């Protein structure tokens, strides 16, 4: 009887020591610039597809503000890069943006953030990568106006979103209201920004530049660690083995398969 009890206790301890599974998010919907995504990044169709995957934790999308102060989803600095439009999204009105479609196989239309927020299911989150640069004026947009647009839209959904920014001046405006993580390609800049703004919840870094030691160091500070730019199965497995808090995957279906096989 004592032997059986000892086995039970040891098994329970092993279960408690198992690492928490890495959260998997679809990058820019169901993937950025990859054939397996089927639909164009940041489109409503791509987001719906990613959020329909069993056990998906959510999606990351790119958010820009129009000249009218409305939040739209779009990745590139210029509209002509991926859509039928011209110039910077930040310099266009909602009336100019509404009829635009992507130059893609399915010809998906550009969508407002407000149109996709209702797609989220219980337990899922949106990671909002805030694109603050106006390529037309070669300057940042009005960050206070951007913040107010976020507050107006997300006032009742702050627990369902995490904001991503690479503008340190944006951090003190956002952190009183939202969970905010900072993105950089430099670990030195990430550590310095965390020192300056300890209220930040975590960091975002390209997987190739992120080591397992980096993950441990940031986690030791109680911070979330998000890794992105992972496509091939081999790179996704290597990224998952580093143990980040979350993976922004360009093939979330495969990432979920690998994660489940590892646990």
């Amino acid at each position: 009887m004592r032997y059986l009890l000892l086995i039970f206790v040891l098994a329970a301890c092993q279960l408690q020591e198992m690492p928490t599974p890495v959260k998997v998010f679809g990058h820019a919907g169901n993937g950025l610039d990859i054939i397996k995504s089927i639909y164009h990044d940041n489109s409503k169709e791509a987001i719906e597809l990613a959020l329909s995957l069993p056990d998906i934790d959510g999606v990351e999308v790119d958010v820009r503000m129009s000249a009218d102060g409305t939040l739209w989803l779009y990745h590139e600095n210029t509209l002509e890069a991926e859509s039928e439009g011209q110039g910077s999204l930040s310099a266009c009105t909602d009336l100019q943006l509404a009829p635009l479609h992507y130059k893609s196989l399915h010809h998906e239309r550009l969508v407002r953030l407000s149109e996709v927020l209702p797609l989220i299911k219980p337990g899922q989150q949106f990671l909002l990568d805030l694109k603050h640069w106006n390529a037309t004026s070669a300057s940042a947009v009005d960050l206070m106006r951007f913040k107010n647009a976020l507050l107006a839209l997300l006032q009742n959904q702050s627990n369902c979103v995490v904001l991503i920014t690479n503008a340190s001046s944006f951090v003190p405006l956002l952190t009183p209201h939202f969970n905010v993580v900072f993105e950089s390609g430099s670990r030195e800049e990430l550590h310095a920004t965390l020192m300056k703004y300890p209220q930040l919840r975590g960091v975002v870094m390209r997987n190739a530049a992120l080591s397992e030691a980096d993950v441990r160091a940031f986690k030791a500070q109680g911070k979330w660690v998000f890794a992105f730019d992972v496509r091939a199965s081999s790179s996704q497995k290597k990224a998952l083995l580093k143990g980040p808090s979350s993976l922004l995957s360009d093939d979330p279906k495969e990432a979920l398969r690998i994660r489940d096989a590892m646990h």
Side-chain angles (χ1 to χ4, degrees), residues 14-232:
Q14 288 175 347
L15 287 173
Q16 291 175 357
E17 292 171 1
M18 285 182 67
T20 303
V22 177
K23 290 185 177 181
V24 173
F25 291 83
H27 187 202
N30 199 52
L32 183 65
D33 298 330
I34 186 170
I35 192 66
K36 290 182 181 179
S37 65
I38 303 174
Y39 298 113
H40 199 284
D41 61 83
N42 288 289
S43 67
K44 185 177 181 180
E45 293 86 348
I47 294 166
E48 284 181 314
L49 179 58
L51 292 178
S52 71
L53 294 173
D55 299 322
I56 192 79
D57 293 289
V59 294
E60 179 265 2
V61 293
D62 300 290
V63 180
R64 294 182 183 272
M65 184 177 66
S66 73
D68 292 324
T70 303
L71 303 178
W72 290 76
L73 305 189
Y74 191 73
H75 182 267
E76 301 299 324
N77 283 327
T78 63
L79 288 167
E80 57 265 31
E82 297 287 343
S83 80
E84 302 164 336
Q86 295 289 321
S88 170
L89 187 150
S90 300
C92 294
T93 65
D94 295 340
L95 191 62
Q96 293 171 313
L97 294 170
L100 296 183
H101 290 74
Y102 287 104
K103 295 184 290 188
S104 57
L105 177 64
H106 297 287
H107 208 53
E108 304 90 343
R109 67 182 183 85
L110 273 64
V111 293
R112 296 170 173 84
L113 176 58
S114 60
E115 296 178 69
V116 300
L117 287 175
L119 300 177
I120 199 167
K121 300 177 178 66
Q124 295 178 340
Q125 285 183 310
F126 271 105
L127 308 182
L128 308 182
D129 190 350
L130 308 181
K131 303 294 187 181
H132 66 283
W133 190 252
N134 182 336
T136 300
S137 63
S139 63
V141 300
D142 186 330
L143 297 183
M144 184 63 73
R145 192 183 186 204
F146 205 153
K147 181 205 78 171
N148 290 336
L150 289 162
L151 282 173
L153 187 60
L154 303 172
Q155 55 184 337
N156 297 320
Q157 301 189 63
S158 59
N159 291 330
C160 298
V161 299
V162 175
L163 306 187
I164 302 171
T165 183
N166 62 6
S168 58
S169 56
F170 214 175
V171 172
L173 296 179
L174 299 173
T175 49
H177 311 284
F178 302 100
N179 290 320
V180 183
V181 295
F182 192 76
E183 187 271 324
S184 175
S186 163
R187 60 178 54 84
E188 291 76 19
E189 182 183 15
L190 289 174
H191 283 294
T193 305
L194 289 175
M195 286 286 290
K196 185 175 182 180
Y197 300 109
Q199 65 270 40
L200 281 165
R201 297 303 304 273
V203 299
V204 183
M205 198 172 189
R206 194 176 299 274
N207 177 55
L210 183 69
S211 69
E212 187 175 349
D214 292 327
V215 172
R216 289 197 300 268
F218 289 123
K219 282 190 169 183
Q221 300 178 55
K223 303 302 180 181
W224 301 333
V225 183
F226 295 79
F228 75 99
D229 194 17
V230 281
R231 291 174 168 79

Side-chain angles (χ1 to χ4, degrees), residues 225-257:
V225 183
F226 295 79
F228 75 99
D229 194 17
V230 281
R231 291 174 168 79
S233 297
S234 57
S235 62
Q236 299 212 77
K237 184 174 182 179
K238 290 178 182 177
L240 288 166
L241 287 170
K242 294 175 187 177
S245 309
S246 301
L247 186 68
L248 312 187
S249 173
D250 289 298
D251 188 355
K253 184 177 180 180
E254 177 66 1
L256 288 166
R257 185 194 68 77

